[in-house]
């Protein structure tokens, strides 16, 4: 049944483009049609940029990978396929289960290769490498030239690894107690044997540029007898034997961590690997009879238990030239960041200053010179900013953010420099939800560590790591546009090595592609070069994302959407308008649909704010409609997000469903105040609702309020301060700030106190230091004021927000004789995962608001429960 559906809704309407413009008789959207909706995700672009692959994903799991010619719209589909890719010779390949499919795009012919375990593609020489298993368990490695169709097969394969930079393939074979390891050059079709023996070779790891390869030997990959390092240019094989007489670090209590890659430095002088303890000592406070919780313990007992279960391995470095292996990390200094050239190791302990009560603990940082293993302290009592506390790509500097400024540490000179003090611009802004201010970030460096690129609230800067020199690359501040370097969507967003992020290097002599976002929620992409600055490629009143571009940056491919326009795929260059080659969910055209509008308003203190107002489907300007207000913090960024109608969501809220059911939906921005989170939220939300009522479109007597998690806290507090709302839903809510302050997160064992200092509640003090602020902003203290019927719900296994927060509020409402219901979902957490329970919640959410906002009293579970009955 699924394939005809694909043809009906995706292939036929899009091959015949003129159908898009035809007038369709619209009808009301019903729940039995929701399953037709899916999400489109841009995947790959062919080298000649004439073909694109993308996938449609559905709630029922019937995902399909499509390949489409962006000019002719000729399309091929592959249900449940993954790992798609294009060759340079008109071929597309992907994997479905254990089948490798090779499609000739020029004529539509398919070849299916059975029994595939994995495969890899070498682009420069157009060769496909795949591993197959036969019934006799003989694993065969095939090297196929996609240009000529010729195959080379190698039997008895144990493992293989392809270096895509050099086109070198290393593979190991093992049969009849004989093993060998060989390297094949896919460019020259030459094979050379590297090692042979009687034990299997495993843990194959290339140096990133293909200059050398490391591997181990032994029957058990976790207990190898030898580690090898083969340098290709020298044809030299180094080895280190893990034997007791060699003072081996692999002993009775440790194992080689085969789950972690072997890392080889760029200069081939150092090989890094990890070991794990498989017989950890019991915690000193563990006892069969009692748990001992000490006030001076660095971490809570639960955190200590979690750390014991997730025992962190130790990292060692092997220097083949002197055949010496040394542990770098230890229990005292377990966290490691390597310099870009892997010459230096930066070590720290996140528990240094525990117990403390912020989310990220300060710590001391040490640097080790991996040539002489001298260690010294170079940063003391500093809090590392996540993702922005790293080494430069070429290995010259370590960068960190402290006291409102960016700093560099020169590894060779040992000198610290404040590199932003003279600029006079803040490099922090409102970047994350519920965090008042955080670092704007750094995308990377220019070549050879010449400059570091930094973001302020709007712009991109290039700053000398030695200080004294800087330039602003973009002019976003003047136009109120936020510019960021746009990473191609088919590349990993973050690359990590141990605890460090591997930053990108950029060439400012070549064009850069920038993403752009305005305060008015316009988005798009710009092209930047050092001569002209930034120039618009596309910038419009829509959400443009998922950009993919090649190194030439000739064309860029992207996804575009609006609330009333299902995501579509397009490509564009500097000299043309966007050309659209796929529109998802064309069935939407058959139904009435809502639209979104950006509204502006002010709170009582004159702070200018924005919000999203969604109009009901089949809106009639002569009518007034009930309205649902959904809150959290900043919500205006969702203005152009297309929302597939569905009941299967973690939180029960879907604006497309509500607008289809005849509701306005308002999502206002909230400006939270220091020590006044509830009071500030109340002010902003009431101001936003009054602004909409002034528009004379919503029925002021039938306005509902809902929020989840922090939004649940705000909802529960707001209804204690106003009777503006006819009904409310507060889910996963925090209702007593004092008791929540003294709660331990069941998932990670961390006390929730960190949420009250510089994040979320932003109280700046403890309940015993500023008791009035906690009292004044706790919903439970004003429960007697509630006039709004409120529905509470929570997962009984909520590890994020203790379920007792909802229970406390329920009991307080019950004691005060207020109208309330509570839904507790067994075996569910902060958001619902089970599909049946998701649908149950979505339906009850609709029924709750229908009962009070539409006066539809047909739901017995509401009427009976609120009138001394039982559900």
């Amino acid at each position: 049944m699924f394939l005809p559906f694909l043809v009906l809704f995706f292939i036929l309407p899009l091959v015949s483009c003129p159908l898009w413009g035809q007038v369709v008789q619209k009808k009301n959207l019903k729940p039995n049609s929701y399953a037709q909706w899916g999400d489109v995700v841009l995947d790959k672009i062919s080298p000649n940029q004439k073909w694109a692959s993308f996938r449609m994903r559905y709630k029922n799991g019937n995902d399909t990978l499509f390949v489409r010619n962006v000019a002719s719209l000729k399309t091929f589909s592959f249900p449940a396929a993954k790992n798609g890719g294009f060759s340079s010779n008109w071929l597309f390949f992907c994997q479905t289960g254990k089948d490798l499919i090779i499609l000739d795009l020029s004529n539509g012919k398919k070849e299916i290769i059975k029994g595939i375990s994995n495969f890899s593609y070498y682009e420069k020489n157009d060769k496909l490498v795949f591993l197959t298993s036969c019934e006799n368990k003989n694993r065969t490695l095939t090297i196929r030239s996609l240009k000529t169709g010729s195959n080379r097969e190698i039997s008895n394969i144990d493992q293989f690894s392809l270096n895509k930079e050099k086109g070198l393939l290393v593979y190991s074979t093992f049969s009849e107690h004989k093993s060998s390891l060989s390297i094949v050059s896919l460019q020259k079709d030459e094979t050379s044997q590297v090692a042979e023996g009687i034990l299997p070779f495993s843990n194959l790891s290339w140096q990133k540029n293909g200059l050398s390869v490391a591997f181990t030997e032994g029957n058990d990959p976790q207990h190898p007898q030898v580690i090898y390092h083969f340098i290709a240019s020298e044809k030299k094989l180094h080895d280190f034997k893990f034997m007791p007489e060699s003072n081996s670090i692999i002993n009775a209590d440790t194992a080689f961590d085969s789950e972690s890659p072997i890392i080889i430095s760029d200069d081939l002088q150092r090989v890094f690997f990890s070991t794990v303890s498989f017989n950890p000592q019991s915690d000193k406070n563990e006892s069969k009879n009692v748990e001992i919780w000490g006030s001076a313990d660095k971490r809570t007992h639960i955190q200590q238990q979690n750390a014991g279960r997730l025992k962190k391995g130790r990292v060692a470095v092997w220097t083949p030239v002197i055949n010496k292996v040394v542990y770098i990390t230890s229990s005292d200094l377990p966290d490691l960041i390597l310099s870009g050239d892997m010459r230096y190791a930066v070590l720290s302990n996140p528990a240094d200053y525990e117990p403390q009560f912020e989310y990220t603990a300060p710590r001391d940082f040490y640097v080790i010179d991996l040539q002489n293993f001298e260690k010294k302290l170079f940063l003391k009592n500093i809090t590392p900013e996540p993702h922005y506390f790293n080494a430069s790509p070429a290995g010259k500097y370590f960068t960190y953010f402290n006291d409102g400024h960016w700093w560099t540490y020169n590894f060779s000179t040992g000198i610290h420099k404040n590199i932003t003090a003279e600029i006079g611009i803040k490099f922090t802004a409102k970047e994350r939800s519920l965090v008042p201010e955080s670092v704007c970030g750094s995308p990377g460096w220019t070549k050879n560590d010449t400059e570091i690129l930094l973001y302020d609230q709007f712009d991109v800067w290039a700053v000398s790591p030695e200080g004294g020199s800087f330039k602003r690359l973009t002019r976003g501040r003047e136009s109120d546009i936020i510019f960021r370097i746009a990473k191609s969507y088919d590349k990993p967003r973050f690359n990590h090595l141990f605890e460090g992020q591997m930053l990108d290097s950029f060439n400012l002599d070549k064009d850069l592609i920038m993403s752009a976002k305005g305060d008015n929620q316009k988005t798009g992409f710009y092209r930047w070069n050092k001569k002209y600055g930034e120039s618009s490629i596309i910038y419009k009143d829509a959400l443009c994302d998922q950009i993919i571009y090649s190194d030439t940056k000739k064309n860029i491919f992207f996804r575009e959407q609006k609330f009333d326009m299902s995501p579509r795929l397009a490509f564009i260059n500097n000299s043309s308008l966007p050309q659209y080659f796929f529109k998802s969910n064309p069935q939407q055209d058959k139904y009435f649909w809502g639209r979104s509008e950006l509204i502006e308003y002010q709170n009582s203190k004159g702070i200018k704010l924005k919000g999203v107002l969604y109009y009901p489907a089949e809106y009639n300007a002569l009518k007034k409609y009930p309205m649902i207000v959904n809150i959290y913090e900043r919500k205006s960024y969702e203005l152009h997000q297309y929302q597939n109608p569905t009941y299967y969501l973690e939180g029960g809220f879907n604006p497309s469903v509500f607008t289809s059911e005849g509701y306005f939906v308002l999502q206002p921005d909230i400006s939270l105040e220091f020590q006044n989170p509830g009071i500030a939220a109340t002010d902003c939300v009431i101001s936003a609702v009054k602004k909409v009522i002034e528009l004379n479109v919503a029925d002021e007597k039938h306005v509902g309020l809902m929020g989840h998690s922090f939004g649940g806290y705000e909802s529960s507090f707001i209804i204690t301060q106003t009777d503006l709302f006819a009904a409310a839903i507060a889910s996963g809510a925090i209702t007593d700030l004092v008791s929540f302050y003294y709660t331990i997160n069941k998932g990670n064992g961390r006390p929730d106190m960190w949420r009250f200092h510089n994040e979320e509640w932003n109280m700046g003090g403890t309940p015993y230091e500023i008791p009035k602020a906690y009292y004044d902003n706790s919903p439970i203290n004003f429960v007697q004021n509630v006039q709004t019927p409120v529905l509470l719900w929570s997962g009984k296994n909520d590890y994020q927000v203790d379920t007792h927060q909802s229970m406390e509020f329920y009991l307080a409402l019950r004691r005060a004789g207020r109208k309330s219901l509570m839904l507790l979902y067994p075996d569910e957490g902060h958001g619902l995962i089970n599909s049946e329970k998701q649908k149950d919640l979505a339906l009850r959410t609709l029924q709750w608001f229908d009962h009070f906002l539409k006066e539809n009293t047909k739901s017995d579970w509401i009427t009976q429960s609120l009138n001394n009955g039982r559900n």
Side-chain angles (χ1 to χ4, degrees):
M1 294 178 63
F2 182 60
L3 289 177
F5 168 74
L6 289 175
V7 174
L8 176 64
F9 286 101
F10 294 101
I11 309 294
L12 294 180
L14 292 170
V15 171
S16 303
C17 289
L19 293 179
W20 289 5
Q22 293 183 3
V23 176
V24 179
Q25 185 64 40
K26 295 185 183 293
K27 56 186 177 181
N28 292 320
L29 179 63
K30 300 297 182 182
N32 58 6
S33 299
Y34 291 174
Q36 298 175 13
W37 266 259
D39 297 310
V40 63
V41 179
L42 197 54
D43 186 46
K44 298 282 193 325
I45 306 300
S46 66
N48 61 14
Q49 301 194 352
K50 293 183 178 180
W51 294 82
S53 65
F54 52 92
R55 67 181 64 251
M56 285 295 300
R57 302 187 304 196
Y58 296 89
K59 288 290 185 180
N60 60 12
N62 289 331
D63 297 356
T64 298
L65 181 66
F66 291 92
V67 180
R68 170 161 289 186
N69 186 297
V70 299
S72 70
L73 303 185
K74 184 177 181 179
T75 305
F76 301 93
S77 62
F78 305 89
K82 61 180 181 179
N83 301 329
F86 292 93
S87 79
S88 57
N89 195 31
W90 288 91
L91 296 179
F92 177 79
F93 45 83
C94 62
Q95 187 173 356
T96 304
K98 293 186 177 181
D99 292 347
L100 175 62
I101 302 174
I102 302 176
L103 169 70
D104 189 329
L105 295 169
S106 64
N107 56 29
K109 292 183 178 179
K110 289 182 184 179
E111 178 185 2
I112 300 177
I113 303 170
K114 301 284 187 179
I116 292 291
S117 57
N118 57 63
F119 72 93
S120 193
Y121 173 65
Y122 177 52
E123 181 180 0
K124 293 179 182 177
N125 210 31
D126 217 16
K127 289 187 176 177
L128 198 63
V129 181
F130 51 89
L131 188 63
T132 56
S133 299
C134 301
E135 291 182 2
N136 59 7
K137 297 185 179 180
N138 177 24
R139 290 154 55 91
T140 301
L141 187 68
T142 301
I143 304 172
R144 169 174 294 192
S145 171
L146 296 181
K147 292 179 180 178
T148 66
S150 62
N151 290 336
R152 175 186 172 186
E153 295 184 347
I154 307 167
S155 300
N156 301 317
I157 293 294
D158 197 25
Q159 296 184 5
F160 81 93
S161 179
L162 174 64
N163 179 269
K164 296 183 180 181
E165 180 70 25
K166 292 287 187 182
L168 296 175
L169 174 71
V170 60
Y171 66 87
S172 61
T173 63
F174 183 73
S175 65
E176 299 178 354
H177 303 291
K178 293 178 64 177
S179 62
S180 69
L181 186 133
S182 302
I183 293 177
V184 179
S185 171
L186 298 184
Q187 294 194 44
K188 300 178 181 179
D189 289 324
E190 295 177 351
T191 303
S192 57
Q193 189 177 76
V194 173
E196 59 181 350
I198 61 173
L199 298 176
F201 297 109
S202 58
N203 298 311
L204 313 181
S205 300
W206 281 105
Q207 189 265 355
K208 68 178 182 181
N209 297 319
L211 302 178
S212 68
V213 65
F215 53 96
T216 61
E217 180 184 12
N219 284 323
D220 183 351
Q222 288 190 307
H223 296 275
Q225 295 186 9
V226 186
I227 182 171
Y228 293 96
H229 181 218
F230 177 74
I231 301 176
S233 61
E234 301 175 2
K235 291 184 167 44
K236 188 170 184 180
L237 186 65
H238 298 271
D239 67 86
F240 181 84
K241 295 180 174 60
F242 296 118
M243 301 295 181
E245 59 270 19
S246 64
N247 297 317
S248 171
I249 62 172
I250 306 293
N251 53 48
D253 293 328
T254 59
F256 190 91
D257 187 1
S258 57
E259 299 297 319
S260 299
I262 302 172
I263 307 296
I264 305 168
S265 64
D266 290 354
D267 62 7
L268 312 182
Q269 298 301 302
R270 287 166 289 280
V271 179
F272 302 85
F273 60 90
S274 299
T275 66
V276 290
S277 172
F278 58 89
N279 187 26
Q281 294 181 350
S282 297
D283 188 272
K284 64 179 182 178
N285 286 345
E286 279 294 330
S287 169
K288 293 181 179 179
N289 300 319
V290 64
E291 296 176 2
I292 303 174
W293 293 49
S295 61
D297 290 345
K298 285 185 174 292
R299 291 174 174 171
T300 70
H301 186 77
I302 301 174
Q303 286 177 293
Q304 294 175 44
Q305 286 180 315
N306 290 341
R309 285 193 295 267
L310 303 173
K311 197 70 175 179
K312 192 169 187 175
R314 296 185 65 183
V315 179
V317 60
W318 170 36
T319 309
V321 174
I322 59 176
N323 204 28
K324 181 179 181 180
V325 173
V326 176
Y327 270 128
I328 306 174
T329 64
S330 64
S331 58
D332 292 331
L333 294 171
D335 281 11
L336 167 65
I337 299 175
L338 288 176
S339 62
D341 58 1
M342 303 185 194
R343 161 75 188 275
Y344 298 93
V346 174
L347 304 174
S348 63
N349 188 341
D352 270 346
Y353 292 90
E354 298 282 8
Q356 56 82 45
F357 307 102
E358 305 291 343
Y359 185 80
T360 303
R363 58 180 94 169
D364 298 337
F365 287 84
Y366 296 81
V367 60
I368 295 181
D369 186 329
L370 296 179
Q371 286 187 337
N372 56 29
F373 295 98
E374 291 182 357
K375 182 176 72 174
K376 63 179 179 180
L377 175 69
F378 78 105
L379 285 172
K380 188 170 180 60
N381 195 11
I382 188 171
T383 301
E385 288 284 342
H387 299 298
Y388 308 121
F389 198 85
N390 285 289
S392 60
K396 297 178 182 179
Y397 301 96
F398 190 82
T399 59
Y400 59 98
F401 194 87
N402 190 37
D403 292 334
H405 289 287
W406 281 95
W407 295 71
T408 59
Y409 172 79
N410 188 308
F411 282 115
S412 61
T413 66
I415 296 175
H416 297 262
K417 289 284 182 68
N418 183 332
I419 61 172
T420 57
E422 298 179 8
I423 298 177
I425 290 289
K426 283 175 55 179
F427 287 88
T428 58
K430 175 67 178 175
E431 291 285 309
R432 293 185 285 140
S433 292
L434 303 182
V435 180
E437 196 167 80
S438 55
V439 185
C440 297
S442 166
W445 293 67
T446 60
K447 294 187 301 181
N448 200 34
D449 291 353
T450 303
E451 296 166 303
I452 182 172
L453 301 181
L454 302 175
Y455 294 144
D456 72 9
Q457 182 179 356
F458 296 99
D459 291 307
V460 186
W461 294 74
V463 181
S464 166
E466 293 295 332
S469 173
F470 52 86
K471 56 190 173 187
R472 184 161 61 115
L473 303 185
T474 58
R475 291 294 179 269
R477 186 171 295 275
E478 291 81 350
S479 54
D480 209 23
I481 296 176
I482 299 171
F483 286 108
R484 299 293 184 255
I485 295 177
K487 196 163 190 175
S488 189
Y489 191 70
D490 57 347
K491 303 291 191 299
R493 184 180 179 188
F494 296 113
N495 289 314
H496 286 89
L497 180 59
F498 302 111
E499 279 70 46
Q501 182 185 345
M502 301 170 67
L503 299 179
D504 293 326
S505 289
F506 299 92
N507 185 349
L508 297 187
D509 292 329
K510 296 183 177 180
D511 289 1
L512 297 177
I513 302 297
M514 302 275 185
S515 67
K517 181 178 180 180
D519 188 52
N520 55 7
Q521 300 306 314
K522 285 186 176 181
T523 68
F525 303 102
Y526 280 64
R527 188 182 301 272
W528 178 94
N529 63 55
K530 66 179 184 180
K531 185 174 181 180
Y532 299 107
E534 69 271 10
S535 58
S536 174
I537 300 172
I538 183 169
Y539 185 68
K540 60 190 303 186
D541 209 13
L543 173 58
C544 300
D545 62 0
Q546 292 190 6
I547 181 174
I548 294 181
Y549 55 87
S550 66
D551 291 340
T552 65
K553 304 180 179 68
K554 178 182 177 182
N555 291 328
I556 69 166
F557 292 73
F558 64 97
R559 184 178 72 170
E560 178 188 331
Q561 63 186 289
K562 299 183 75 169
F563 176 74
D564 55 356
M565 182 185 74
S566 187
R568 55 185 182 174
L569 304 180
F571 68 94
I572 192 173
N573 56 44
N574 277 351
S575 59
S576 72
L577 295 173
Q579 299 182 54
Y580 299 96
F581 60 88
F582 179 77
K583 178 183 178 182
S584 64
N585 304 311
Q587 72 277 4
Q588 179 199 325
D589 294 339
K590 298 191 301 182
Y591 299 99
F592 293 110
W593 204 265
R595 63 181 175 87
S596 63
E597 176 180 289
L598 193 67
I599 66 167
E600 297 184 356
Y601 57 98
Q602 295 182 11
N603 67 5
S604 65
K605 295 186 177 180
I607 298 175
K608 295 181 179 180
L609 297 165
K610 292 181 171 61
V612 181
L613 182 64
Y614 302 98
Y615 279 69
E618 201 179 6
Y619 171 66
N620 183 345
L622 300 178
K623 291 175 56 178
K624 284 189 177 183
Y625 293 81
M627 182 170 70
I628 296 169
V629 184
N630 177 259
I631 59 174
Y632 191 71
E633 191 197 18
R634 293 190 304 175
K635 300 289 285 184
S636 60
Y637 72 90
E638 296 182 11
L639 173 69
H640 294 308
Q641 288 184 6
Y642 186 81
Q643 306 279 351
N644 290 340
T646 180
Y647 286 150
Y648 300 103
L649 295 165
E650 293 186 6
F653 170 74
N654 184 291
S656 294
V657 170
F658 283 126
T659 54
S660 295
E661 293 289 336
Y663 287 98
F664 270 99
V665 176
L666 173 63
Q667 295 192 157
D669 285 348
I670 293 171
S671 178
L672 297 173
E673 293 179 11
F674 179 65
Q675 295 185 350
N676 261 333
I679 295 169
T682 301
D683 182 15
C684 295
V685 172
I686 291 176
S687 299
V689 172
K690 287 182 177 179
K691 175 67 177 182
V692 176
I693 291 173
E694 289 174 6
L695 300 176
N696 204 31
V697 295
D699 183 349
E700 62 182 311
K701 294 183 179 180
H702 292 93
V703 179
L705 177 68
M706 68 182 302
H708 182 68
S709 194
F710 190 82
Y713 156 72
E714 294 169 317
S715 297
S716 60
F717 183 83
I718 289 171
I719 61 174
T720 70
Q721 306 297 306
T722 179
D723 58 1
L724 178 63
F725 299 98
I729 298 178
S731 54
I734 299 90
T735 61
D736 184 345
L737 299 193
V738 174
S739 66
F740 191 64
Y741 185 90
Y742 297 114
T743 299
I744 290 180
N745 185 290
K746 295 178 184 177
N748 56 32
R750 180 193 296 271
D752 278 312
M753 297 175 181
W754 65 271
R755 302 177 185 274
F756 290 84
H757 291 264
N758 298 317
E759 301 190 27
E760 300 188 44
W761 281 271
N762 197 21
M763 300 298 281
T766 65
Y768 51 81
E769 292 171 324
I770 47 171
K772 188 176 186 305
Y774 279 81
Y775 185 92
D776 289 347
N777 287 275
S778 289
I780 204 163
N781 295 329
F782 306 100
V783 71
Q784 73 279 5
N785 298 335
V786 173
Q787 301 299 319
T788 305
V790 56
L791 174 66
L792 310 172
W793 71 260
S794 175
K796 291 190 74 173
N797 290 344
D798 191 342
Y799 284 2
Q800 190 73 6
V801 175
D802 194 313
T803 306
H804 286 91
Q805 289 288 315
S806 292
M807 291 181 177
E808 287 181 27
F809 201 55
Y810 162 75
L811 291 173
L813 289 164
R814 188 169 182 263
R815 180 66 181 85
R818 300 303 185 251
K819 287 185 178 182
S820 66
L821 284 176
M822 182 170 63
L823 307 176
L824 295 179
Y825 287 92
D827 304 317
E828 293 292 339
H830 197 51
L832 305 190
I833 303 301
N834 179 273
S835 59
E836 291 183 6
K837 294 172 184 173
Q838 287 179 338
K839 183 177 181 179
D840 179 85
L841 173 62
L843 289 171
R844 291 181 189 272
T845 298
L846 270 172
Q847 291 164 2
W848 180 261
F849 284 126
D850 284 352
H851 184 95
F852 292 102
L853 305 188
K854 292 183 176 180
E855 298 179 2
N856 181 344
T857 58
K858 294 179 181 179
S859 299
D860 291 342
W861 68 276
I862 300 175
T863 55
Q864 292 178 8
S865 298
L866 294 181
N867 293 286
N868 298 319
R870 294 186 62 85
N871 184 18

